[in-house]
Amino acid sequence: MKPAPLLVLCALGPEVWALRGGDWRGAAGGPPVLVRTGVGRRRASHAVRRLLTSAPGGYGAVVVAGFGAAVAPGITPGDVIVADGVRDAEGNLFAVDSGPELSRALKARGLTAHTGVHHTADHVVRGLERRALHLQGALAVDMEAAAVLAALQEIRPALPAAVLRVVVDTPERELLRPGTLPAGVRAWRTLRAAVPALVDWHEQNRAQRGAAPPSGTLNHPTPSTLPQEAS
């Protein structure tokens, strides 16, 4: 039976554009299904639920990919932060087992990759709030991933999943500063360059399935042991 393709979810059109132009040769299941969900948890949840219920069994794995913000110091625009867990604003933590494996695939392709917890916020996070999230254990912040993982856990809990963000802004270089445009171009190029690593991860994951639990399968969300940020 022909393998199912990757489902790749992005919030923004430029993210889809970057990934569409990447080198998907050899991807299991052929070219990926690239979908722009729109920004925010509500839109991301609606999109992934619609896709999974309209095509049950139609995808080999789900990837949430795009641009994001670092909340930890010492990370450079253009670096990739791969999630080994995603925490939502309510304090639930979704473990993502694919993090170390995908990070190794990115490094093997010459990219700078970090692995750690992503925090899904309901608003753009700036200044002191970034520091607070880092003190709570996060490396990156986005606005969609937790909603996607929650929907997967409910509808297709055995479907392998991965989350990655290419850093555009950092605590030292926040958005709307003069360096934002060059950082955005660098992040766009890095996201496109990450495609072969996604192909590698998907193939390795597919080869392992059947012999062991799928790498990247979501664990049930648990209340985070990290303190929540102040409102």
Side-chain angles (χ1 to χ4, degrees):
M1 185 173 65
K2 182 179 178 180
L6 274 174
L7 173 60
V8 183
L9 303 172
C10 304
L12 304 173
E15 297 166 337
V16 174
W17 180 29
L19 290 165
R20 182 176 291 124
D23 184 3
W24 291 99
R25 288 176 297 178
V33 177
L34 289 164
V35 176
R36 180 174 67 87
T37 66
V39 175
R41 290 200 291 178
R42 182 183 61 81
R43 289 173 176 166
S45 178
H46 176 77
V48 72
R49 288 173 186 277
R50 173 177 54 82
L51 289 161
L52 293 179
T53 55
S54 63
Y59 309 108
V62 173
V63 175
V64 181
F67 308 131
V71 298
I75 295 175
T76 301
D79 288 2
V80 186
I81 303 180
V82 183
D84 59 8
V86 177
R87 187 181 61 209
D88 64 21
E90 292 71 44
N92 297 307
L93 182 66
F94 297 85
V96 186
D97 295 339
S98 60
E101 186 176 311
L102 179 54
S103 184
R104 285 192 295 270
L106 290 161
K107 291 175 181 177
R109 294 286 181 168
L111 300 177
T112 300
H114 312 266
T115 306
V117 172
H118 292 207
H119 178 91
T120 295
D122 291 322
H123 57 278
V124 176
V125 175
R126 303 184 189 279
L128 293 176
E129 191 176 2
R130 289 195 186 195
R131 176 174 172 79
L133 291 177
H134 175 52
L135 291 175
Q136 294 163 21
L139 290 188
V141 62
D142 70 12
M143 296 178 68
E144 296 82 29
V148 172
L149 299 183
L152 283 176
Q153 186 63 67
E154 180 181 335
I155 301 170
R156 292 286 306 281
L159 193 63
V163 178
L164 68 90
R165 296 291 177 183
V166 180
V167 174
V168 175
D169 62 319
T170 69
E172 299 88 354
R173 298 181 181 88
E174 288 198 358
L175 281 172
L176 304 180
R177 296 174 65 91
T180 298
L181 181 57
V185 172
R186 182 177 180 183
W188 190 89
R189 290 173 176 168
T190 300
L191 186 58
R192 176 165 288 190
V195 165
L198 291 174
V199 172
D200 294 343
W201 169 76
H202 187 208
E203 178 56 34
Q204 293 167 8
N205 187 282
R206 191 177 69 87
Q208 292 169 3
R209 297 182 72 177
S215 173
T217 299
L218 288 170
N219 293 326
H220 288 283
T222 57
S224 174
T225 57
L226 304 172
Q228 295 195 50
E229 73 273 26
S231 58

